Amino acid sequence: MNQNSSHPSSMAILISGRGSNMCVLADKIASGELPANISFVGADREKAQGLEAARIRGLATRVFSYEELGRERAENNLIQALLESGSTWVVLAGFMKILSARFVAEFGGRIVNIHPSLLPAFPGVDAIGQALKYGVKVTGVTVHLVDRKVDHGPILAQQAVSITDGMDQESLEQNIHAVEHDLYWRTLKNLFEGRYVEYGRRRQLHE
Ligand code: GRF
């Protein structure tokens, strides 16, 4: 799985929403900072706002409508598209569908996710709201490989974000997203360039 810059890693990016992380990844590839290419941007619904941003950037887009097709058929189509595209990596960027055991078995070790908390704290939906409601003083961002449990798997990178007194959800979201937009592409670059070493559960960077 070691990659080198003469053979850029090919990644499919999966989104459900606005796709701001996907846009940063696309822009970092365009600027030459992230040695990779995007096979396609996939969404679970046509209404995902990020699809338009992907099209504007000239990226191939695919929709796998879970609502119209049902989960099994939609995911089968997604697996087929990933296999046909020869994608090395499946990069989740706000993809709101749970991946089946079959999906994880097919692409095991090659699926990456970003989550807006310091996992294992606050998995699942609205991690930012959960952290605020709980009253923690520090939350953050996690980039991890995906295993069969939700928001779970070997952690590649984490960065803390402080919650100051009186902070509202909007400003915490802004701070979290700013960290995500810097952390995701840097982590993927390290991953694609083969800089992570496996020590049991742990993934450590070596320079
Ligand atoms: C991010 O906060 C990410 O951590 C979570 O979903 C959100 C996606 O945001 N998994 P965007 O669609 O990339 O703007």
Side-chain angles (χ1 to χ4, degrees), residues 13-164:
I13 305 181
L14 303 183
I15 63 169
S16 297
R18 65 185 183 140
S20 68
N21 282 285
M22 176 275 296
C23 288
V24 173
L25 298 180
D27 294 346
K28 291 294 176 187
I29 290 173
S31 68
E33 290 164 278
L34 178 60
N37 59 52
I38 296 172
S39 53
F40 65 87
V41 173
D44 60 329
R45 54 196 194 106
E46 182 61 56
K47 284 198 179 126
Q49 294 153 262
L51 285 172
E52 187 52 26
R55 291 181 190 125
I56 287 169
R57 285 168 170 77
L59 300 172
T61 59
R62 299 284 307 265
V63 177
F64 308 92
S65 175
Y66 278 58
E67 202 176 277
E68 275 170 35
L69 302 173
R71 175 189 159 165
E72 203 175 320
R73 275 182 62 202
E75 200 193 62
N76 279 343
N77 292 353
L78 171 57
I79 290 173
Q80 200 59 36
L82 287 167
L83 293 173
E84 281 168 15
S85 68
S87 307
T88 326
W89 298 97
V90 181
V91 172
L92 308 180
F95 189 61
M96 298 298 286
K97 290 289 181 284
I98 292 172
L99 303 172
S100 70
R102 185 186 151 219
F103 188 105
V104 176
E106 185 74 55
F107 302 103
R110 299 190 285 133
I111 313 167
V112 194
N113 184 40
I114 187 162
H115 184 77
S117 77
L118 295 176
L119 290 172
F122 309 123
V125 292
D126 192 23
I128 298 174
Q130 288 185 58
L132 264 180
K133 204 178 282 176
Y134 195 96
V136 292
K137 305 290 185 190
V138 178
T139 184
V141 174
T142 302
V143 179
H144 65 100
L145 296 173
V146 170
D147 67 13
R148 286 176 60 174
K149 295 188 204 155
V150 174
D151 295 325
H152 192 269
I155 288 173
L156 300 173
Q158 289 188 305
Q159 194 169 319
V161 174
S162 295
I163 302 181
T164 51

Side-chain angles (χ1 to χ4, degrees), residues 162-199:
S162 295
I163 302 181
T164 51
D165 292 344
M167 193 178 239
D168 62 11
Q169 177 131 356
E170 201 184 322
S171 40
L172 180 56
E173 274 172 9
Q174 272 177 17
N175 293 354
I176 294 250
H177 285 133
V179 168
E180 289 186 334
H181 294 165
D182 190 55
L183 191 67
Y184 211 6
W185 76 269
R186 289 183 193 281
T187 305
L188 290 175
K189 181 171 157 60
N190 284 327
L191 184 66
F192 296 168
E193 291 179 345
R195 292 214 191 88
Y196 278 98
V197 181
E198 192 175 332
Y199 292 98

